[in-house]
């Protein structure tokens, strides 16, 4: 697997927070802060300017401190995985792609790669921890009180306090295979919560199977886990591997697990807090509304009710949380990292794809830009169709823009040029109507059903064009080298390697972000002069 950097390799949330503090990426806040609306408002403002993770040490109504914005930058997401450079995420994805569609190796090099991956799988097996720190305190019966937790309410019309970054762990009632997901949970009483999950998720499938067997579904919620475990739970491939093994592959070592006190489920032994409970099939309460990643409030829905009958936690636990909304948010930063990991996997599924990008401003999955090696007419449409079916998470992507490999897909100016210069709407738009869709997408004509649009912004070849196109504007390499050689003579040496200022061309987003980041840095690290 990727080379884990010992400087960033950490075992639990506390070690990771210490790493962030050592690197100037954690700010402790000792002033009293209300978890109802105020805490998320402060965190949102800091996150939007690229600021540090925050540890609120004096949360009104609870003795438990709250950590937020822990994964608020791509840099911190990379560190959470024991890496230093975002480019290493693609190396990780290349190894994982061997698991997505394994095939017999050809030659010594592929045999060596596959053998190395098998060794990684062996090392990634979960370990059993018989002295788990998450069991330092055990509460049962009347001592179970969710009101002691610093549950945040991020938006004014949210229905109540929520858990947002807990690992929700269930087990198939027949096969005993675990499923780990990250779902929103809403407090309903001092000892009950509703869980909001889509019907296609593993936990929902387990509940349906439990109902068919006439059994309750056991469920555990692990709060305050290492962020790497959150990343593993958010990665839906390959489906035949357990998330524990996947997390072990990410970490380069097995996850330490321990059994719960009252149910037959294993949980990360170094979690800060564990909630143990059961779901009675058919027992539901209204959940929501809550602000969601689309930038709107989601609808109120009837959701499964969890009866919590045991709480365990470490001494002086830390509550890890986050919140949804329009980007930038932590979920968007996680998506950027996953984008890098998915790239080699996607290339294996659709070989002509050179690169792909899911812009954060498009909610990290609603619009995809892919560049291809174009070799034949109609290939752009084929690539778009293949993209939609390549991985489960691309099912809800509304727009796919396909460009030539020469286009830098992470530069919006180049992408806009390709659309404006190489697209004829009556020829290059492909609309697919009435496909299964995200129920949170209110732009759809019917909730749960929507259209998709592929835009072919590639150079047209063969029968794709009915007339000759003008020759693209280029300069010879000799001329460019001549200008390079005379640059200093011309008195322009101070302009070497400087990127164009987007604000000079009507773009304001980059300028605003840089301005806010500069203001934050000046305030946080004042000059000693």
């Amino acid at each position: 697997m990727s080379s884990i950097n010992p400087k960033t390799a950490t075992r639990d949330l506390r070690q990771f927070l210490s790493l962030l503090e050592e690197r100037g990426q954690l700010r402790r806040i000792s002033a009293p802060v209300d978890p109802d609306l105020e805490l998320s408002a402060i965190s949102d403002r800091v996150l939007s300017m690229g600021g540090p993770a925050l540890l609120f040490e004096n949360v009104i109504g609870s003795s438990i401190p709250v950590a937020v914005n822990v994964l608020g930058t791509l840099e911190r997401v990379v560190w959470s995985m024991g890496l230093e450079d975002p480019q290493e995420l693609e190396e990780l994805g290349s190894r994982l792609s061997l698991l997505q569609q394994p095939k017999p190796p050809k030659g010594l090099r592929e045999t060596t790669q596959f053998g190395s991956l098998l060794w990684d799988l062996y090392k990634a097996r979960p370990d059993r921890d018989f002295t788990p720190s998450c069991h330092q305190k055990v509460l049962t019966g009347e001592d179970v009180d969710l009101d002691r937790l610093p549950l945040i309410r991020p938006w004014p019309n949210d229905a109540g306090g929520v858990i947002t970054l807990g690992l929700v762990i269930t087990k198939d009632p027949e096969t005993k295979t675990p499923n780990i997901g990250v779902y929103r949970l809403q407090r309903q009483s001092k000892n009950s919560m509703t869980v909001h999950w889509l019907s296609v998720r593993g936990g929902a499938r387990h509940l349906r199977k439990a109902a068919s067997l006439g059994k309750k579904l056991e469920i555990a919620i692990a709060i305050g886990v290492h962020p790497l475990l959150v990343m593993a739970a958010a990665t839906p491939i390959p489906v035949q591997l357990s998330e524990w093994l996947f997390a072990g592959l990410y970490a380069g070592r097995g996850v330490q697990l321990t059994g719960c006190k009252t149910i037959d489920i294993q949980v990360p032994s170094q979690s800060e807090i564990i909630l143990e409970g059961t779901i009675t099939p058919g027992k539901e309460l209204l959940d929501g509304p809550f602000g969601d990643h689309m930038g709107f409030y989601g609808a109120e829905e009837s959701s499964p009710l969890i009866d919590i009958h045991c709480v365990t936690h470490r001494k002086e636990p830390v509550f890890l949380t986050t919140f949804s909304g329009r980007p930038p948010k932590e979920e968007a930063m996680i998506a950027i990292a996953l984008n890098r990991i998915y790239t080699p996997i996607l290339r294996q599924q659709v070989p002509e794809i050179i690169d792909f990008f899911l812009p954060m401003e498009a909610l990290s999955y609603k619009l995809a830009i892919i560049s291809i090696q174009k070799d034949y007419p109609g290939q752009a449409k084929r690539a778009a169709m293949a993209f939609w079916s390549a991985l489960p998470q691309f099912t809800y992507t509304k727009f796919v823009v396909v460009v030539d490999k020469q286009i830098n897909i992470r530069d919006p100016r180049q992408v806009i040029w390709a659309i404006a210069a190489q697209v004829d709407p009556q020829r290059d738009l492909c609309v697919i109507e009435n496909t299964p869709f995200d129920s949170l997408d209110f732009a759809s004509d019917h909730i749960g059903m929507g259209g998709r649009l592929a835009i072919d912004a590639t150079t047209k070849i063969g029968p794709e064009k009915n007339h000759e196109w003008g020759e693209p504007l280029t300069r010879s390499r000799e001329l460019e080298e001549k200008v390079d050689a005379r640059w200093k003579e011309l008195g322009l040496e101070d302009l070497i390697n400087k990127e164009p200022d987007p604000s000079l061309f009507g773009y304001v987003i980059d300028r605003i972000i840089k301005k806010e980041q500069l203001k934050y840095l000046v305030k946080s690290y004042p000059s000693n002069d």
Side-chain angles (χ1 to χ4, degrees), residues 127 161 181 185 249 251-252 281:
D127 294 328
L185 300 111
L249 284 171

Side-chain angles (χ1 to χ4, degrees), residues 264-323:
D264 186 22
I265 284 182
Q266 290 192 318
V267 294
S269 64
Q270 294 172 324
S271 305
E272 295 291 324
I273 303 167
I274 301 291
L275 309 181
E276 303 178 12
T278 56
I279 300 176
T280 302
K283 190 174 181 181
E284 299 182 339
L285 284 179
L286 288 177
D287 180 281
F290 283 99
D292 220 307
H293 66 284
M294 296 289 294
F296 304 98
Y297 288 98
E300 190 177 52
E301 295 182 58
S302 185
S303 299
L305 184 69
I306 306 171
D307 293 310
I308 307 293
H309 42 70
C310 180
V311 177
T312 70
H313 62 80
R314 299 178 69 163
K315 295 177 181 177
E316 300 180 353
V318 176
F319 190 87
L320 180 65
T321 193
T322 190
F323 49 92

Side-chain angles (χ1 to χ4, degrees), residues 1-2 81 87-103 117 231-232 234-241 246 249-250 335 337-356 358 370 383 386-394 410:
M1 196 52 61
S2 296
M81 303 183 74
Q87 294 295 333
E88 295 177 271
L89 295 171
E90 289 204 25
E91 179 188 341
L92 174 61
S94 295
R95 304 296 299 278
L96 296 178
S97 68
L98 296 176
L99 297 172
Q100 180 71 1
Q101 285 187 329
K103 54 186 178 182
L117 181 60
M231 294 292 296
T235 308
I237 46 89
V239 294
Q240 66 268 27
L241 287 182
F246 219 56
L249 284 171
Y250 273 0
L338 292 178
N339 185 160
R340 294 277 192 173
I341 295 171
Y342 294 152
T343 299
I345 300 170
L346 183 60
R347 289 193 192 113
Q348 179 169 295
Q349 301 275 73
V350 191
E352 59 259 52
I353 290 181
I354 302 299
D355 199 1
F356 95 108
L358 301 170
I370 62 177
F387 173 86
W388 274 316
S389 58
L391 293 174
Q393 59 271 34
F394 301 151
R410 289 172 176 80

Side-chain angles (χ1 to χ4, degrees), residues 393-522:
Q393 59 271 34
F394 301 151
T395 302
Y396 296 149
T397 301
K398 280 198 285 191
F399 307 99
V400 176
V401 180
V402 187
V403 299
D404 295 314
K405 66 178 183 179
Q406 296 86 356
I407 299 295
N408 180 356
I409 60 175
R410 289 172 176 80
D411 185 343
R413 290 163 290 185
Q414 294 193 35
V415 175
I416 291 172
W417 175 87
I419 294 173
Q422 303 198 142
V423 171
D424 179 349
Q426 64 184 359
R427 178 194 60 207
D428 298 325
L429 305 186
C430 177
V431 177
I432 304 176
E433 299 181 351
N434 298 319
T435 62
F437 226 65
D438 186 352
S439 62
L440 294 172
D441 193 332
F442 294 117
S444 300
D445 191 28
H446 300 284
I447 295 298
M449 293 285 287
R452 304 174 195 276
L453 174 64
I455 302 175
D456 177 2
T458 61
T459 300
K460 303 305 177 289
I461 59 177
E464 292 178 330
K465 58 182 182 179
N466 294 321
H467 57 80
E468 290 302 315
W469 285 44
E471 182 180 349
L473 302 178
T474 60
R475 293 187 176 92
S476 68
R477 176 182 294 182
E478 290 78 14
L479 177 57
E480 294 292 353
E481 290 176 350
K482 179 180 180 181
V483 171
D484 287 344
R486 299 198 62 196
W487 205 248
K488 185 175 181 180
E489 174 194 346
L490 298 171
L492 300 173
E493 65 270 18
D494 60 314
L495 300 180
I496 290 292
N497 295 326
K498 287 197 173 181
E499 290 291 326
D501 181 355
S503 66
L504 298 177
F505 309 104
Y507 292 87
V508 297
I509 294 177
D510 290 349
R511 183 177 60 181
I512 291 173
I513 291 175
K514 289 179 181 178
K515 183 178 178 181
E516 290 298 323
Q517 289 176 335
L518 181 61
K519 285 167 58 179
Y520 166 76
L521 291 171
V522 170

